[in-house]
Amino acid sequence: MRKIFMLCLTGALALATTSCKDEKVTTMQTITVNGRICEVKSAFYTDNPSEYGDEASFNLILLNDVFSQPPTGELSFYVGIELSESLYGKTVDLTKPIVKSGTLAPYLDIVAANEGQSFEIDNSEGSIDISVGEADTSLTVTSGTLKVTKNGGDFSVKLSVKLSDGKSIFADWTGKATKVTIPE
């Protein structure tokens, strides 16, 4: 009798669990660079006007430390994204160069650092250029997508990218970034 009761209880719990309608989507609020995962504790952005034939864009930096204003100097761990306005809200295939579709040139730049070693993926002007530190490389993007939505200072970032040498960047973050201006 006890076995029958436990089986019925288990079945009822399984049914109750699968029939719940509370489907809350939770983001991880993290950035990952080359396997190191950290919680995003600060985010800053700038809006960039359209100039020199490029589209308007934003720069967003996600940091694993708490800052009241953007830090200066070299950072040991972060993910930064610069994205043109025409790419907001779209899932961008990072294995393919971005092509010009209007009169202004779209632009996408991703930079990340882990323990001071930085690398950058520059996807503009119909090509994808990857540098480590300041040196150009022959690395390629083997897989990756980026989707960023922006509404004022509210952002949602879903980033997944792997390079041919095994380097990787992931970001799963939704939150408010602090707007800053960069002195000219």
Side-chain angles (χ1 to χ4, degrees):
M1 184 70 161
R2 187 176 179 148
K3 279 186 179 181
I4 293 173
F5 177 74
M6 291 305 288
L7 286 172
C8 289
L9 180 61
T10 302
L13 287 173
L15 182 60
T17 302
T18 59
S19 66
C20 287
K21 293 189 181 196
D22 184 17
E23 296 179 17
K24 184 177 178 185
V25 175
T26 305
T27 61
M28 298 301 293
Q29 302 299 85
T30 59
I31 50 178
T32 305
V33 179
N34 295 334
R36 180 178 171 203
I37 303 170
C38 290
E39 180 182 359
V40 175
K41 295 184 181 172
S42 297
F44 298 95
Y45 79 100
T46 61
D47 282 321
N48 308 318
S50 174
E51 59 185 9
Y52 309 115
D54 289 332
E55 291 183 14
S57 64
F58 69 82
N59 287 328
L60 174 69
I61 187 165
L62 305 174
L63 303 158
N64 69 322
D65 290 317
V66 176
F67 293 100
S68 59
Q69 52 189 307
T72 58
E74 286 295 314
L75 298 170
S76 65
F77 190 84
Y78 66 92
V79 171
I81 299 168
E82 182 175 1
L83 189 67
S84 292
E85 213 171 45
S86 68
L87 302 176
Y88 296 4
K90 296 179 181 174
T91 300
V92 179
D93 180 350
L94 299 175
T95 65
K96 298 177 181 171
I98 295 171
V99 293
K100 185 175 179 177
S101 60
T103 57
L104 299 176
Y107 187 79
L108 166 61
D109 189 67
I110 301 167
V111 62
N114 179 5
E115 299 303 324
Q117 182 185 15
S118 66
F119 60 102
E120 180 177 12
I121 303 165
D122 178 359
N123 189 333
S124 62
E125 300 173 8
S127 68
I128 302 171
D129 299 311
I130 300 171
S131 58
V132 175
E134 298 294 319
D136 291 335
T137 70
S138 60
L139 296 174
T140 59
V141 176
T142 58
S143 67
T145 58
L146 171 68
K147 182 175 183 180
V148 179
T149 59
K150 178 185 182 298
N151 183 8
D154 295 322
F155 289 84
S156 175
V157 177
K158 300 281 186 195
L159 168 64
S160 171
V161 63
K162 293 182 182 178
L163 301 182
S164 56
D165 70 345
K167 288 180 176 51
S168 62
I169 311 168
F170 301 97
D172 186 359
W173 180 75
T174 300
K176 188 163 205 65
T178 302
K179 185 174 183 177
V180 295
T181 56
I182 298 176
E184 294 185 36

